[in-house]
Amino acid sequence: MGSTKQKITTFFMFEGKAEEAMNFYISLFDRSEIVRMQHYGPNEAGAEGTVVQALFSLNGQVFMCIDSSVKHNFTFTPSMSLYVTCETEAEIERLFGRLSDGGFVLMPLGAYPFSEKFGWVQDKFGVSWQLNLEKK
């Protein structure tokens, strides 16, 4: 996948679902992969088998994630979301369907004053995605 060094990297903190989330996300986008991943072993700070730290790429863009071994009183919020420019109707429909399955629709897929086709969803892991059909 070329160089994974970028100056600013989006970082996700999950609570035991990091590997599942990464596998789900890389299944959605071309040119995507788990670049590296380290798991907690027995008698370490986190639950055995959960993610100490991982690096993954979605369509060539690199992200980091962990499974927090500490419970927090916060999670993801829609005020920070991943914005995806979709090239085709089929792509936006597929992504909207997969990302909203088990999640929550914040804005239904449709026409809006700022876009001919747009949708905003929070996926089953709590991560928010804005999907926009590229204007041709």
Side-chain angles (χ1 to χ4, degrees):
M1 285 247 92
S3 174
T4 58
K5 184 171 174 74
Q6 62 190 38
K7 188 168 186 77
I8 300 170
T9 304
T10 302
F11 187 95
F12 298 102
M13 182 178 69
F14 296 95
E15 291 184 349
K17 300 279 187 179
E19 190 167 0
E20 180 183 350
M22 284 186 293
N23 283 317
F24 176 63
Y25 300 148
I26 66 172
S27 77
L28 298 177
F29 298 96
D30 293 335
R31 299 184 325 112
S32 299
E33 67 178 345
I34 295 174
V35 177
R36 70 174 177 263
M37 180 168 31
Q38 178 185 359
H39 294 95
Y40 286 105
N43 305 313
E44 291 185 340
E48 185 176 356
T50 60
V51 175
V52 174
Q53 187 180 55
L55 196 65
F56 65 104
S57 70
L58 301 177
N59 201 264
Q61 184 170 337
V62 178
F63 299 85
M64 292 178 72
C65 70
I66 64 169
D67 276 321
S68 177
S69 59
V70 177
K71 286 286 187 195
H72 297 280
N73 292 326
F74 56 84
T75 186
F76 299 108
T77 170
S79 67
M80 193 296 194
S81 60
L82 299 176
Y83 189 93
V84 180
T85 301
C86 300
E87 296 177 9
T88 65
E89 289 268 347
E91 181 185 22
I92 196 169
E93 295 280 345
R94 178 181 61 80
L95 289 174
F96 188 86
R98 295 280 310 278
L99 290 166
S100 62
D101 186 25
F104 183 76
V105 174
L106 300 168
M107 290 177 73
L109 195 57
Y112 293 92
F114 54 86
S115 174
E116 292 177 14
K117 193 157 198 174
F118 175 88
W120 193 349
V121 300
Q122 189 172 45
D123 69 27
K124 62 186 172 186
F125 303 104
V127 176
S128 295
W129 300 79
Q130 294 186 59
L131 308 172
N132 187 54
L133 183 61
E134 184 175 46
K135 191 172 185 175
K136 303 277 178 176

